[in-house]
Amino acid sequence: MKYINASIIAFAAGVLLAGTAAAADLAAGKQKAEQVCAACHGANGVSAVADFPKLAGQYNEYLIRALKDYKSGARKNPIMADQASKLGERDIDDVAAYFSSLQALSTKY
Ligand code: HEC
């Protein structure tokens, strides 16, 4: 019975994640990224300095998780806690979709 419950939950979570990804608005994510995130992470998601992680090509789910964790305080970083606190659920889905849609590029610092 336990196994059955776990697989139902996993299935439901999968459906929810797929729904979220489909609903994300890339254009809105791009706009937010260029207005806010670009200063540190680069408009193309490839930051110019090693202090700021590259976001281009990162998994959508990873980006969503990171932003939610900064917002809740589960992941601690004063800069990103401040940034994430200004993002709604919808913004998080949109920017995550945008950055994950970009091509990851390597840069030498
Ligand atoms: C003032 C600079 C600054 C701005 C603006 C900024 N970030 Fe960050 N971001 C950082 C820093 C510094 C880190 C590394 C924090 C850490 O070590 O956890 C980070 C980390 C992240 C991470 C985790 C990356 C990883 O590899 O784990 C994500 C996702 C992220 N930022 C998304 C965003 C988004 C989306 C925006 C725009 C809404 C944004 N950031 C705006 C500085 C910034």
Side-chain angles (χ1 to χ4, degrees):
M1 194 56 191
K2 263 199 177 133
Y3 292 114
I4 293 170
N5 284 342
S7 56
I8 289 171
I9 289 166
F11 175 74
V15 169
L16 281 176
L17 276 176
T20 305
D25 182 340
L26 274 186
K30 182 176 199 280
Q31 195 179 27
K32 177 73 71 186
E34 285 172 353
Q35 284 169 354
V36 187
C37 326
C40 299
H41 295 286
N44 59 355
V46 182
S47 65
V49 285
D51 288 343
F52 305 128
K54 292 173 197 159
L55 304 178
Q58 181 55 274
Y59 292 118
N60 187 44
E61 286 78 6
Y62 178 94
L63 295 172
I64 292 174
R65 174 69 191 270
L67 290 167
K68 286 189 173 165
D69 283 352
Y70 285 128
K71 205 172 154 79
S72 74
R75 181 166 170 182
K76 296 191 193 331
N77 178 267
I79 298 172
M80 276 312 298
D82 181 49
Q83 295 296 325
S85 73
K86 296 178 204 149
L87 300 175
E89 293 261 323
R90 185 77 225 205
D91 300 323
I92 289 179
D93 286 348
D94 294 346
V95 285
Y98 175 65
F99 280 118
S100 71
S101 77
L102 300 176
Q103 196 194 347
L105 297 171
S106 68
T107 26
K108 281 244 157 87
Y109 294 114

